Amino acid sequence: MSFPRFTRPKRLNGESSPNLYVANCGPAVGISYEAIASVFSSFGVVRGVYAADDSGARVIVSYTEVRSASAALNALDGHPCAQLGGRSLHIRYSVIQPTFESQVNESVTVSLEASDMDIPGLHLWHDFVTAKEEQELLAAVDNRPWKGLAKRRVQHYGYAFLYETRNVDTKQRLGELPSFVSPVIERIAACPDVGDSSSLILDQLTVNEYPPGVGLSPHIDTHSAFEGLIFSLSLAGPCIMEFRRYADASWISTAASGTDMKVDIPEKGWERKAIYLPPRSMLLLSGEARYAWHHYIPHHKIDMVNDHAVRRNNRRVSFTFRKVRRGPCQCEFPQYCDSQR
């Protein structure tokens, strides 16, 4: 998907535009893009309807001609629209604002299956747990204390993750993983894509709670901190996860894994892909997907998935299972490896 970036001008200065900024209208108030396009197309050819921001209640209607936009603005601005649930629309002209960062955020196709991503070592299992098991897992962590970060809450089991160093202290063990995740770990061991699971002993768990609109900065889990299999169970709400691989291997994110820092990214020489993670799905990062691709959750309240707007729930909770590494990493991707650089 590739959407242009628009903004509402601070002052109109008498200038018209083929693009309209329409407030009080969108998926968040129960109005689909198809319904919006149907109403506005009566004034001319609509090039597209786009999200104006992450609220879900403001859209951009883009016409092929300025006169169509002017006719729609004059007819609909400030008046109840019967075809859109009787809502009063607030409309202004909008201008296109192409920027590299906006293209980064929006111009990516979202896959529904890991097999469509063509990233070796990436796997996704839908409905890994049942709806009942999901509620039991959420209730279990909600009965335990959370630690607050800048924009979300976390819990650590087995070993605490040290965000300042992006590593763990193997000398400070918190204890066994809680019994309420034992069925999940048993199910992981039975997965067909984990290789020799008999020696796989997951001993570290991080639980993250993401409020709506909160994401995760691009990062690769520190090679020296964890072994080569990382499992992430999504509960309560959906999200899109992006994967980025950089041709310039010297570019390494300085943001700690799990922090909320903004990261500057190069303007060329990198590849990106995205996948939709529905509730109760399990994602596995292994091999190239784990060692060479940054993963990232965009800071959106609404994700566009195959032209459908998907609103994130009141929260998303992830259970990330890992095995703490006891020695240096000897992976096949030294350019991304802190043990081999």
Side-chain angles (χ1 to χ4, degrees):
M1 296 175 297
S2 180
F3 300 122
R5 179 78 170 182
F6 298 91
T7 183
R8 184 178 62 179
K10 293 181 180 180
R11 293 185 301 272
L12 293 179
N13 294 328
E15 296 182 7
S16 300
S17 164
N19 310 304
L20 297 178
Y21 178 101
V22 185
N24 198 27
C25 184
V29 293
I31 302 175
S32 68
Y33 287 170
E34 292 80 4
I36 298 168
S38 176
V39 169
F40 280 82
S41 63
S42 63
F43 299 94
V45 178
V46 173
R47 180 184 292 114
V49 178
Y50 312 102
D53 51 37
D54 291 334
S55 69
R58 291 178 283 272
V59 301
I60 299 295
V61 177
S62 179
Y63 285 98
T64 59
E65 296 183 356
V66 172
R67 62 181 181 181
S68 301
S70 299
L73 186 150
N74 292 332
L76 299 177
D77 180 37
H79 304 296
C81 181
Q83 299 96 318
L84 298 178
R87 304 190 73 84
S88 293
L89 307 182
H90 306 286
I91 307 176
R92 297 291 183 270
Y93 290 115
S94 179
V95 295
I96 191 167
Q97 187 183 45
T99 65
F100 174 73
E101 185 59 33
S102 68
Q103 294 168 2
V104 165
N105 289 338
E106 295 166 350
S107 59
V108 61
T109 298
V110 179
S111 299
L112 302 181
E113 302 290 344
S115 57
D116 297 331
M117 297 278 283
D118 194 27
I119 298 179
L122 184 70
H123 303 276
L124 178 68
W125 295 282
H126 294 263
D127 297 313
F128 194 83
V129 298
T130 66
K132 179 182 178 182
E133 290 170 328
E134 175 185 41
Q135 293 306 312
E136 291 172 348
L137 289 167
L138 292 172
V141 293
D142 284 337
N143 284 330
R144 301 206 174 197
W146 292 91
K147 176 183 178 180
L149 297 182
K151 295 183 179 180
R152 66 184 193 278
R153 301 190 300 176
V154 299
Q155 295 180 17
H156 296 294
Y157 298 95
Y159 295 86
F161 185 83
L162 307 177
Y163 294 104
E164 297 79 8
T165 61
R166 294 188 291 165
N167 216 314
V168 294
D169 185 349
T170 57
K171 297 179 181 179
Q172 295 187 5
R173 190 164 182 262
L174 302 178
E176 300 289 336
L177 298 189
S179 59
F180 60 79
V181 298
S182 296
V184 178
I185 294 176
E186 292 175 4
R187 207 164 296 168
I188 287 174
C191 289
D193 298 299
V194 299
D196 181 14
S197 60
S198 60
S199 60
L200 177 62
I201 302 176
L202 300 171
D203 57 7
Q204 198 276 335
L205 166 64
T206 295
V207 182
N208 281 286
E209 181 192 59
Y210 299 88
V214 174
L216 195 63
S217 296
H219 70 280
I220 297 175
D221 285 45
T222 307
H223 288 202
S224 64
F226 304 108
E227 296 284 353
L229 301 179
I230 298 177
F231 298 87
S232 183
L233 179 66
S234 295
L235 301 178
C239 76
I240 286 175
M241 180 173 284
E242 287 193 17
F243 290 84
R244 300 174 174 181
R245 183 164 185 179
Y246 299 89
D248 180 4
S250 65
W251 188 90
I252 301 295
S253 168
T254 57
S257 172
T259 67
D260 301 304
M261 296 170 59
K262 283 193 69 174
V263 180
D264 293 328
I265 58 179
E267 294 193 14
K268 59 182 178 178
W270 62 293
E271 183 180 4
R272 63 193 288 257
K273 302 181 180 183
I275 191 168
Y276 175 64
L277 303 181
R280 300 188 295 279
S281 64
M282 175 70 81
L283 184 73
L284 166 60
L285 305 182
S286 64
E288 181 179 317
R290 181 267 186 267
Y291 288 121
W293 288 75
H294 288 66
H295 57 278
Y296 159 58
I297 300 175
H299 299 265
H300 293 165
K301 290 184 179 179
I302 295 177
D303 292 312
M304 293 301 300
V305 181
N306 297 334
D307 298 325
H308 294 285
V310 179
R311 173 171 284 278
R312 296 188 186 176
N313 287 10
N314 57 351
R315 68 170 179 167
R316 173 180 174 265
V317 179
S318 67
F319 285 56
T320 302
F321 298 88
R322 297 173 284 208
K323 179 177 175 60
V324 172
R325 192 183 293 277
R326 293 303 196 277
C329 177
Q330 298 178 341
C331 69
E332 299 177 0
F333 305 92
Q335 66 269 44
Y336 304 102
C337 183
D338 63 305
S339 293
Q340 302 179 62
R341 288 201 306 271

